[in-house]
């Protein structure tokens, strides 16, 4: 009965989200995104409080540790979602439906992974070693990616396969999945984006599911913590997408968390050891990391990571540049509505003003990015042409000269 009520509640929240928020395409305001993010986080916290009251402090700590970890990993996933939506040139008003469908597909797939992981753990104690190694390798990959090129477009086999199999039209038709082209009914790029979002998020599950099993082996807690972290992801995307580039140290924090859980899993595997070539198949009695200590460390690492990122001048520079690039691309190639284009252009001017206020060493680096400078120059020229043609809601405003800042 508990499982049935929980699943019905989650499905109800997804249906509510679809019919009352994303069915009619629109760009969510900051207030709307903040309000619904707060509601979904409150639901998750109240559920955790219920788990603590009826299941005890240990179960409550396991749920909250799992939820916080999955939510942190979800924020990291939003970076890739942002790149995907930008690379597919999805209009802002249509991004909500893409995200919701992708999240729903991911939730179904992750549920399958959860039950598979639980079955493996119950049958083979060595799976804890495997999960621990996966998390340690993932932590190392996060650190390597942080030192590498962060501006690469996401490209994995899910996206390549979808491009090859799904024949789509070249242009969007609102948020419709089908359109008529040359008298034939064809798929729009919207279906390709949904497959890319859902498939990419399924790949993320290969890291996040072992991580949460490192904090609790209770399948119900694993499922609910995962589900609640995904349910509010759409609202969270629109709330913090302007701050995503500011979190320059998030990958370091997530790497530390995954490494912590990986070590915790391996220590637990040693206690449960029955692998013949390790200690002759006998358990190894070592110290273990408690759930309470894990929760405290996870929260502490995240707080330190976020505060350090927000105070970092590098984070501010990266945020302003990424926002300016995104607004320029939206203004030039994606958005068609004159009213929203006008808003985007004024946001671009605001970001350019922020860039001019940065310390000189950051401005010098930005001026050296010729591709960015050319993009901003084209956006200003396009705005001037639209004003001359009467296609903007406001007259031309003073141009912000970033190249001379």
């Amino acid at each position: 009965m508990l499982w049935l009520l929980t699943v019905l509640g989650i499905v109800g929240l997804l249906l509510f989200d679809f019919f009352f928020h994303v069915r009619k395409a629109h760009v969510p305001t900051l207030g709307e995104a903040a309000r619904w993010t707060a509601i979904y986080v409150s639901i998750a916290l109240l559920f955790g409080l219920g788990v603590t009251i009826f299941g005890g402090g240990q179960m409550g700590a396991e749920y909250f540790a799992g939820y916080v970890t999955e939510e942190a990993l979800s924020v990291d996933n939003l970076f890739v979602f942002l790149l995907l939506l930008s690379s597919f040139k999805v209009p802002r008003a249509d991004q909500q439906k893409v995200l919701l469908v992708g999240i729903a597909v991911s939730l179904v797939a992750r549920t399958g992974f959860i039950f598979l992981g639980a079955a493996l753990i119950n049958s083979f104690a060595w799976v804890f070693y495997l999960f621990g190694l996966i998390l340690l390798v993932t932590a190392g990959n996060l650190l390597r990616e942080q030192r590498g090129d962060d501006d690469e477009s996401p490209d994995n086999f899910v996206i390549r396969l979808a491009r090859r199999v799904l024949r789509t039209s070249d242009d969007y038709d609102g948020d419709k999945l089908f359109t008529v082209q040359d008298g034939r009914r064809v798929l729009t790029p919207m279906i390709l984006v949904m497959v890319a979002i859902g498939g990419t998020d399924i790949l993320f599950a290969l890291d996040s599911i072992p991580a949460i099993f490192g904090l609790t082996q209770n399948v119900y807690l694993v499922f609910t913590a995962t589900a609640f972290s995904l349910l509010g992801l759409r609202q969270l995307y629109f709330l913090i997408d302007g701050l995503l580039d500011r979190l320059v140290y998030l990958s370091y924090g997530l790497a530390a968390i995954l490494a912590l859980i990986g070590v915790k899993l391996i220590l637990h595997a040693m206690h449960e050891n029955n692998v013949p070539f390790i200690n002759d198949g006998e358990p190894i009695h070592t110290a273990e990391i408690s759930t309470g200590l894990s929760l405290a460390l996870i929260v502490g690492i995240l707080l330190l990571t976020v505060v350090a990122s927000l105070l970092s001048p590098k984070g501010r520079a990266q945020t302003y540049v990424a926002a300016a690039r995104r607004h320029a691309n939206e203004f030039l190639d994606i958005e068609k509505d004159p009213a929203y284009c006008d808003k985007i252009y004024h946001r671009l001017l605001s970001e350019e003003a922020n860039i001019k206020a940065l310390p000189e060493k950051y401005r010098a680096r930005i001026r050296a990015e010729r591709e960015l400078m050319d993009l901003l120059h084209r956006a200003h020229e396009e705005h001037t042409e639209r004003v001359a043609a009467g296609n903007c809601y406001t007259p031309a405003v003073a141009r912000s000269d970033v190249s001379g800042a």
Side-chain angles (χ1 to χ4, degrees):
M1 180 61 69
L2 181 62
W3 270 98
L4 178 62
L5 292 174
T6 303
V7 171
L8 288 176
I10 290 170
V11 171
L13 287 172
L14 285 171
L15 292 175
F16 175 83
D17 229 3
F18 177 77
F19 286 105
F20 290 92
H21 288 128
V22 308
R23 193 176 185 183
K24 182 179 180 181
H26 70 285
V27 180
T29 63
L30 184 62
E32 178 185 344
R35 184 166 57 253
W36 284 103
T37 298
I39 289 173
Y40 274 97
V41 171
S42 298
I43 291 173
L45 295 180
L46 288 173
F47 182 85
L49 181 61
V51 169
T52 304
I53 293 172
F54 294 104
Q58 177 65 21
M59 284 187 67
E62 290 179 2
Y63 167 81
F64 281 114
Y67 173 72
V68 171
T69 300
E70 290 295 301
E71 195 69 38
L73 291 170
S74 295
V75 171
D76 191 49
N77 298 350
L78 292 181
F79 284 98
V80 180
F81 291 169
L82 182 61
L83 288 174
L84 279 171
L85 294 172
S86 298
S87 64
F88 282 104
K89 297 183 179 180
V90 182
R92 184 76 165 173
D94 300 326
Q95 291 179 3
Q96 292 199 92
K97 183 174 288 187
V98 172
L99 289 170
L100 185 61
V101 172
I103 288 167
V105 170
S106 174
L107 183 56
V108 173
R110 287 193 186 206
T111 301
F113 283 140
I114 288 169
F115 283 106
L116 175 61
L120 289 173
I121 286 172
N122 290 332
S123 302
F124 309 104
W126 54 263
V127 170
F128 286 110
Y129 285 116
L130 177 62
F131 282 2
L133 289 173
I134 288 174
L135 295 182
L136 291 175
V137 170
T138 303
N141 287 338
L142 280 174
L143 292 177
R144 190 176 68 237
E145 290 169 5
Q146 183 70 8
R147 291 193 295 268
D149 184 5
D150 294 330
D151 295 326
E152 294 180 1
S153 297
D155 186 25
N156 56 51
F157 80 90
V158 173
I159 299 174
R160 293 195 296 271
L161 180 64
R163 287 186 185 276
R164 188 176 301 115
V165 173
L166 299 175
R167 303 296 180 182
T168 65
S169 63
D170 295 328
D171 301 314
Y172 292 94
D173 186 3
D175 60 359
K176 296 178 182 177
L177 301 182
F178 296 89
T179 189
V180 176
Q181 189 177 63
D182 298 328
R184 293 190 308 164
R185 185 176 172 85
V186 295
L187 292 166
T188 69
M190 189 63 68
I191 188 70
L192 188 62
V193 185
M194 289 178 177
V195 171
I197 292 287
T200 303
D201 201 50
I202 290 171
L203 294 179
F204 290 144
L206 300 178
D207 302 330
S208 66
I209 298 303
I212 193 169
F213 270 117
L215 298 167
T216 177
Q217 285 81 59
N218 185 307
V219 179
Y220 180 74
L221 296 183
V222 172
F223 171 75
T224 50
T226 301
F228 283 124
S229 70
L230 288 174
L231 283 175
L233 200 56
R234 178 186 62 81
Q235 294 85 352
L236 188 64
Y237 171 84
F238 287 96
L239 177 63
I240 70 170
D241 70 337
L243 290 175
L244 282 175
D245 298 289
R246 187 76 174 264
L247 302 176
V248 289
Y249 300 124
L250 179 63
S251 291
Y252 293 117
L254 291 178
I257 290 171
L258 292 178
L260 168 69
I261 300 173
V263 171
K264 177 180 169 65
L265 272 170
I266 291 175
L267 291 175
H268 181 73
M270 294 169 70
H271 272 268
E272 304 286 332
N273 181 61
N274 59 9
V275 180
F277 56 84
I278 299 179
N279 198 38
D280 296 325
E282 296 296 323
I284 304 172
H285 299 291
T286 60
E288 286 201 73
I289 303 173
S290 68
T291 303
L293 178 59
S294 299
L295 177 59
L297 289 173
I298 289 168
V299 172
I301 291 170
L302 286 176
L303 286 176
L304 180 62
T305 299
V306 171
V307 171
S309 296
L310 294 178
L311 295 178
S312 166
K314 176 185 175 183
R316 283 191 290 121
Q318 189 166 306
T319 301
Y320 300 151
V321 169
R325 181 182 287 111
R326 184 163 62 251
H327 293 326
N329 280 321
E330 287 179 346
F331 181 77
L332 289 169
D333 300 326
I334 301 177
E335 301 296 341
K336 306 300 180 186
D337 178 50
Y340 190 56
C341 283
D342 196 60
K343 292 180 181 178
I344 293 173
Y345 185 74
H346 283 81
R347 290 174 186 170
L348 173 61
L349 294 180
S350 177
E351 298 303 338
E352 289 179 336
N354 289 331
I355 291 173
K356 291 177 67 175
L358 289 171
E360 171 56 28
K361 79 172 180 178
Y362 294 106
R363 297 205 309 273
R365 292 176 189 173
I366 295 169
R367 287 196 298 270
E369 296 185 35
R370 299 314 312 168
E371 183 181 352
L372 174 63
M373 294 296 101
D374 291 342
L375 177 67
L376 298 180
H377 181 70
R378 285 196 296 117
H380 288 295
E381 287 188 336
E382 178 69 18
H383 180 264
T384 302
E385 292 175 4
R386 292 183 189 182
V387 170
N391 293 329
C392 280
Y393 275 73
T394 58
V397 292
R399 174 174 167 178
S400 178
D401 188 5
V402 177
S403 60

